[in-house]
Amino acid sequence: GAVVSQHPSRVICKSGTSVKIECRSLDFQATTMFWYRQFPKKSLMLMATSNEGSKATYEQGVEKDKFLINHASLTLSTLTVTSAHPEDSSFYICSAETSNYGYTFGSGTRLTVV
Amino acid sequence: GENVEQHPSTLSVQEGDSAVIKCTYSDSASNYFPWYKQELGKRPQLIIDIRSNVGEKKDQRIAVTLNKTAKHFSLHITETQPEDSAVYFCAASKQTGANNLFFGTGTRLTVIP
């Protein structure tokens, strides 16, 4: 139980275009999801906390207009990287907190902007 | 906010030896401490966790210890195997509400056959 499905696993896009990443909780309801970014050989850095039915809470230094988060249902949160640039290339991963305070992670999305 | 520090950043051990990774945290309100193993390009996998009401937890070759007073916790892997090679992250979180995990900087463990 407590599976988070994340898509796509890999995406290559051109500079200036937008990319949407989806995270779905498959067998539980996730009122809160977390979006992380991970640079090569680095730790996971929290970008934002996604709350169902309300605005996301962004960490300091994260541009909310660039990284749009939508959490319209209890099972789906999306991260859209708008007007992507090469510096946005990274590994993006979501996670959800389950009822027993454990966290489950999506499989991650490797974004490459060319 | 919480600050989690992790040491060492890299660790090489001979197969069969033990490996120890240490983390410290700053927020005394944190009370949930998971450890994750991450292989390249994959999601972090929970390998063991501990809550602040216990001082030690063991699961086969893996154990975690917690010192609340000193605000540090450690991961111990015994009888290491080549498949244990990966990056390990410690993390800390508060129990109340929907709180995110604060991750350590990671330890790249290499087990030499």
Side-chain angles (χ1 to χ4, degrees):
Chain A
V3 174
V4 172
S5 174
Q6 183 171 348
H7 294 281
S9 58
R10 291 178 180 272
V11 58
I12 300 173
C13 71
K14 293 184 177 180
S15 280
T17 61
S18 296
V19 173
K20 180 185 282 189
I21 302 169
E22 292 188 349
C23 272
R24 294 181 183 273
S25 56
L26 297 185
D27 48 7
F28 68 101
Q29 293 182 333
T31 55
T32 302
M33 283 196 179
F34 306 100
W35 287 93
Y36 296 87
R37 181 175 182 175
Q38 187 176 32
F39 291 104
K41 300 183 180 181
K42 298 294 184 182
S43 188
L44 292 93
M45 299 301 296
L46 181 70
M47 297 175 65
T49 301
S50 165
N51 301 295
E52 186 269 335
S54 64
K55 291 183 179 181
T57 303
Y58 289 82
E59 295 301 298
Q60 190 173 7
V62 177
E63 298 176 59
K64 59 183 66 177
D65 293 332
K66 179 166 188 63
F67 298 100
L68 300 179
I69 290 174
N70 184 281
H71 195 152
S73 77
L74 289 170
T75 58
L76 175 64
S77 177
T78 61
L79 167 67
T80 301
V81 183
T82 63
S83 187
H85 292 284
E87 56 265 31
D88 298 325
S89 299
S90 190
F91 188 63
Y92 294 87
I93 193 164
C94 63
S95 80
E97 185 178 17
T98 58
S99 58
N100 64 351
Y101 300 108
Y103 297 81
T104 185
F105 286 85
S107 53
T109 298
R110 181 158 301 285
L111 170 64
T112 303
V113 184
V114 298
Chain B
E2 176 66 281
N3 181 44
V4 179
E5 296 189 355
Q6 183 172 346
H7 299 281
S9 57
T10 60
L11 178 61
S12 292
V13 298
Q14 291 289 333
E15 182 177 359
D17 288 349
S18 296
V20 180
I21 302 171
K22 298 182 179 181
C23 286
T24 61
Y25 62 100
S26 61
D27 190 344
S28 57
S30 291
N31 56 9
Y32 175 65
F33 307 95
W35 285 88
Y36 293 90
K37 176 182 180 183
Q38 187 180 30
E39 299 178 11
L40 188 64
K42 302 289 181 64
R43 77 184 85 193
Q45 297 279 3
L46 178 69
I47 56 171
I48 195 167
D49 58 10
I50 192 168
R51 301 186 194 278
S52 60
N53 57 345
V54 297
E56 184 174 356
K57 184 177 178 181
K58 188 174 181 180
D59 182 6
Q60 299 183 344
R61 297 187 296 110
I62 296 173
V64 57
T65 59
L66 171 65
N67 184 325
K68 287 170 53 181
T69 303
K71 290 191 281 204
H72 66 70
F73 55 113
S74 300
L75 176 71
H76 304 252
I77 305 174
T78 59
E79 301 172 29
T80 54
Q81 301 166 2
E83 50 266 37
D84 294 330
S85 297
V87 177
Y88 291 81
F89 291 100
C90 63
S93 176
K94 298 177 189 177
Q95 187 173 2
T96 56
N99 289 283
N100 62 282
L101 291 166
F102 291 90
F103 285 89
T105 47
T107 297
R108 180 170 298 279
L109 173 65
T110 303
V111 180
I112 304 166

